[in-house]
Amino acid sequence: MPSWVSYQFQPAPAICLSSLGVFSVAAAGGPGAAPQGLRGWLRRAYRFATDRNDFRRNLLVNLGLFAAGVWVARNLTDIDLMAPQPVP
Amino acid sequence: MHPPLLPRLLPPALLTAPRGQRPAGESRRQGPCGTRRDAPGHRTGPGGGTRSRRDATAPLIQLPRHRREASAVLAEVFPQQMEGVKLIVTKTLSSHFQVTHTVHMSTLGPSSYHFNATFVGDRQLGPTEAFPTLIGDMDNSGSLNAQVLHLVAERIRTKAVFQTHQTKFVTWQFDGEYRGDDCTATLTLGNPDLLGESVILVAHFLQSITSRLVLGGEMVYHRRPGEEGAILTLAGKYTALKWVATLNVGYGGAHASYYHRANEQVQVGVELEANTRLQDTTFAFGYQLNLPQANMVFRGLLDSNWSVGGVLEKKLPPLPVTLALGAFLNHWKNRFHCGFSVIVG
């Protein structure tokens, strides 16, 4: 069984939740499952974004950076460097 | 006073392929800061160790015209990594002959001295093309880089490149290029060895589909005793009024670049490279700020290896002197290098 399944249905510790202002213990399939799923998704997304050994991840990230770089080049670089500064 | 030479003679260190061209089989350059922008030879591979992109001792397999032009444009935008102190003195002896002395006091490796001589013939086809052209560069250890460019016929050009490391030949390369009205075909022989039965053969063809779109392909064939292989790469280039985009896709990976000229002062280059053999991808963003009123040019770089760098070039009129200051920082590897150059002439 994938590890995220057991994680999703694991009740959250009361101490941790109380520190966040939540006093109820999460139950399997209850409202607490959504934060668990969201936390798991965020954790997987963070691992994906920072795993430099994953070629697919590197390709997707650099492809996104390339697209962002092209957008910046086309839209944000028409600057007159010798223009006088605006007077307030 | 001698009339000036061609405005853009090949600089002494530009005996390797332009930026972005990697020598066959090499990964992108790994400079001291881990920057990937200094690949020797084929822009390929901003190279390893302390080699800069334009290291004259690096192996060389140059690509034909359109890819070389596209890479050369990007090469002008991205800064060269600098370390140590460099003094370059250029003297024009006549309208055909120029010599350059380069002294490099390095902080990473042994210091060096280079002597470069350039001869340009009478047949001038353009502002930067004249034939025959002979370029020779020798360093203090006896390593030689030599290039000969000759126009055999109106549409046929040939080039020969020789590189030695002290007394041993490292590279001997012969190019033949045919330029048609709307196409270019090039054949390159790299290190042909009849006795050793080894050769690297590069065949390149580019066809202009429209006035803006160029499509083509390249095949690299290598042979050694007991081993041979070929790699096919498809290439495309689209040229607009203010920007140029290129895409090369092949078995070994893909390379995409975008060059944008925002105005007379600002130029931007973006590059993406994916190497399936090395399972590696890199991204780089570079820009050039040109202020002729201030006699200043600044080039900046940011890439996916967490490297940032910049080079500032400042002319010092009325003296024929240019001062260049550069610094590169690799955040991931926690490395920093800086240097400056003085260019006279």
Side-chain angles (χ1 to χ4, degrees):
Chain A
M1 178 179 289
S3 59
W4 62 268
V5 174
S6 59
Y7 180 80
Q8 186 175 6
F9 288 95
Q10 184 178 8
I15 296 178
C16 292
L17 292 178
S18 63
S19 66
L20 296 175
V22 178
F23 296 95
S24 60
V25 177
Q36 297 288 349
L38 178 62
R39 254 204 302 270
W41 186 89
L42 289 175
R43 183 175 286 106
R44 288 193 300 275
Y46 174 77
R47 285 177 181 170
F48 179 79
T50 55
D51 184 5
R52 291 171 63 89
N53 294 323
D54 186 353
F55 175 71
R56 183 173 60 98
R57 169 259 171 198
N58 287 338
L59 182 62
L60 289 176
V61 170
N62 286 319
L63 202 59
L65 290 174
F66 180 80
V70 171
W71 182 87
V72 168
R74 293 178 65 85
N75 296 285
L76 299 181
T77 57
D78 193 5
I79 305 170
D80 184 2
L81 299 173
M82 297 299 291
Q85 290 187 0
V87 179
Chain B
M1 171 171 244
H2 301 290
L5 278 172
L6 301 179
R8 289 188 62 186
L9 281 178
L10 293 178
L14 196 60
L15 292 183
T16 58
R19 168 190 154 77
Q21 298 190 350
R22 271 186 301 268
E26 273 202 29
S27 62
R28 289 181 63 110
R29 327 174 246 226
Q30 282 287 341
C33 283
T35 330
R36 294 204 166 205
R37 287 274 143 235
D38 339 297
H42 180 327
R43 167 160 178 186
T44 30
T50 61
R51 292 188 304 175
S52 69
R53 173 167 53 233
R54 297 179 181 177
D55 189 344
T57 61
L60 166 68
I61 298 254
Q62 289 202 5
L63 293 181
R65 179 183 159 211
H66 290 187
R67 286 186 68 178
R68 183 167 58 238
E69 285 178 359
S71 298
V73 168
L74 271 186
E76 291 298 322
V77 174
F78 286 84
Q80 283 191 44
Q81 188 165 112
M82 298 176 61
E83 57 87 14
V85 178
K86 186 177 286 187
L87 172 65
I88 303 173
V89 179
T90 300
K91 179 66 177 176
T92 300
L93 301 180
S94 74
S95 60
H96 298 283
F97 197 66
Q98 171 183 294
V99 296
T100 301
H101 303 272
T102 303
V103 177
H104 184 203
M105 309 297 289
S106 174
T107 59
L108 299 175
S111 300
S112 64
Y113 164 76
H114 286 258
F115 175 77
N116 177 280
T118 302
F119 173 81
V120 175
D122 290 327
R123 189 167 183 181
Q124 185 168 350
L125 297 186
T128 59
E129 286 187 318
F131 298 96
T133 298
L134 289 81
I135 303 170
D137 184 284
M138 180 170 280
D139 67 6
N140 55 300
S141 66
S143 299
L144 171 70
N145 272 303
Q147 282 193 18
V148 179
L149 295 88
H150 186 54
L151 190 67
V152 177
E154 183 181 352
R155 293 176 182 265
I156 301 176
R157 304 163 185 228
T158 58
K159 181 170 70 176
V161 178
F162 302 95
Q163 284 186 334
T164 69
H165 180 67
Q166 296 179 353
T167 61
K168 181 181 177 183
F169 271 88
V170 175
T171 300
W172 55 103
Q173 176 183 321
F174 307 96
D175 288 14
E177 179 179 309
Y178 171 81
R179 293 194 180 188
D181 291 332
D182 59 354
C183 66
T184 301
T186 303
L187 185 65
T188 301
L189 285 177
N191 292 18
D193 187 349
L194 295 178
L195 296 179
E197 297 182 2
S198 66
V199 69
I200 298 175
L201 182 73
V202 180
H204 190 105
F205 181 78
L206 290 172
Q207 175 71 50
S208 292
I209 307 300
T210 66
S211 60
R212 296 188 171 191
L213 179 63
V214 175
L215 297 178
E218 174 189 81
M219 188 192 72
V220 179
Y221 170 79
H222 73 275
R223 178 188 172 88
R224 286 187 304 185
E227 175 190 355
E228 65 178 339
I231 297 175
L232 179 66
T233 302
L234 301 178
K237 173 185 169 185
Y238 187 85
T239 305
L241 186 61
K242 285 190 170 184
W243 55 273
V244 177
T246 67
L247 176 64
N248 301 318
V249 179
Y251 176 76
H255 176 268
S257 69
Y258 178 82
Y259 165 81
H260 188 92
R261 187 181 182 90
N263 50 43
E264 293 297 322
Q265 300 171 350
V266 181
Q267 301 173 55
V268 179
V270 190
E271 189 180 47
L272 170 69
E273 189 151 8
N275 192 321
T276 55
R277 286 184 296 119
L278 299 176
Q279 293 287 293
D280 189 21
T281 58
T282 55
F283 156 82
F285 178 88
Y287 61 93
Q288 176 180 328
L289 308 177
N290 189 9
L291 292 176
Q293 300 92 326
N295 293 313
M296 185 201 79
V297 177
F298 179 81
R299 297 180 176 89
L301 166 74
L302 170 68
D303 69 14
S304 58
N305 290 322
W306 298 84
S307 293
V308 293
V311 173
L312 174 69
E313 294 180 4
K314 173 76 175 173
K315 293 183 181 178
L316 305 176
L319 300 174
V321 176
T322 301
L323 177 66
L325 307 172
F328 288 81
L329 171 63
N330 187 320
H331 293 279
W332 188 264
K333 297 184 180 181
N334 200 24
R335 292 181 189 171
F336 173 78
H337 290 280
C338 64
F340 75 90
S341 299
V342 176
I343 304 168
V344 179

